[in-house]
């Protein structure tokens, strides 16, 4: 570990990590009065697989198989509406921790669906391609049903 860096948005940052196999998860570790805390964001299927707890309206609890299915269903419903879906999670870490194992046994904080429309100049670029006789095929997103071709 290196010395903490100054972070104007919160406690000093201790570590930053990215799932380098497929870039579907990223986390930061911050110093807090009760010890290091990891904050994570990423693809719902990747983050959910690393969570054992979940925050709910009535407090936190174990992330049961039934509850995990509800979160997956909610993420899929947002993705079907063409939203970019991210899952967020956190975990208190021991004072001494291995960064390679930091993003395990996290608490799922929730899901968010973001609208990610094409840039304004896309329509004009598509029309120019069509005018030139180019057939345009757009492939977007990395959500498994869309990525794997299982969408309508």
């Amino acid at each position: 570990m290196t010395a903490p860096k100054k972070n104007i948005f919160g406690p000093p940052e201790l570590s930053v990590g990215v799932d380098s196999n497929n870039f579907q998860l990223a986390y930061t570790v911050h110093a807090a009065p009760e010890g290091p805390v990891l904050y994570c964001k990423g693809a719902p299927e990747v983050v959910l697989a690393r969570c054992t707890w979940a925050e709910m309206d009535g407090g936190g609890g174990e992330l049961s198989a039934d509850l995990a299915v509800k979160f997956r269903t909610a993420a899929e419903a947002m993705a079907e509406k063409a939203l970019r879906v991210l899952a967020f999670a956190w975990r208190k870490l021991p004072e001494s921790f291995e960064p390679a194992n930091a993003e395990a046994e996290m608490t799922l904080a929730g899901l968010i669906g973001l609208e990610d429309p094409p840039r304004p100049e896309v329509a004009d670029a598509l029309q120019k391609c069509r005018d030139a006789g180019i057939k345009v095929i757009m492939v977007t997103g990395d959500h498994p049903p869309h990525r794997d071709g299982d969408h309508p």
Side-chain angles (χ1 to χ4, degrees):
M1 282 263 198
T2 58
K5 296 181 276 183
K6 178 81 172 152
N7 181 344
I8 61 170
F9 298 106
E13 204 171 89
L14 300 175
S15 178
V16 176
V18 175
D19 180 350
S20 60
N21 292 325
N22 54 23
F23 300 103
Q24 292 185 322
L25 174 143
Y27 68 86
T28 58
V29 177
H30 297 265
E34 66 278 0
V37 179
L38 175 142
Y39 298 101
C40 173
K41 68 152 180 105
E45 63 274 11
V46 175
V47 174
L48 271 166
R50 291 173 166 85
C51 291
T52 53
W53 304 94
E55 291 187 7
M56 302 299 289
D57 288 338
E62 186 175 348
L63 180 61
S64 67
D66 288 343
L67 187 54
V69 167
K70 288 180 182 179
F71 276 108
R72 282 188 196 95
T73 301
E76 289 168 8
M78 285 189 272
E80 287 300 318
K81 294 179 181 174
L83 297 177
R84 182 177 302 257
V85 184
L86 292 172
F88 292 87
W90 64 277
R91 175 185 177 200
K92 290 182 184 177
L93 295 169
E95 287 296 330
S96 175
F97 66 92
E98 247 336 285
N101 301 322
E103 77 274 3
E105 299 181 12
M106 295 186 294
T107 299
L108 181 66
L111 303 171
I112 186 169
L114 303 168
E115 188 174 332
D116 191 14
R119 292 185 215 161
E121 62 270 18
V122 169
D124 186 48
L126 289 173
Q127 189 58 53
K128 286 179 182 177
C129 289
R130 289 185 189 110
D131 292 346
I134 299 170
K135 180 180 177 186
V136 178
I137 300 173
M138 293 176 42
V139 179
T140 63
D142 60 357
H143 183 65
H146 301 159
R147 178 191 66 219
D148 301 333
D150 294 338
H151 57 84

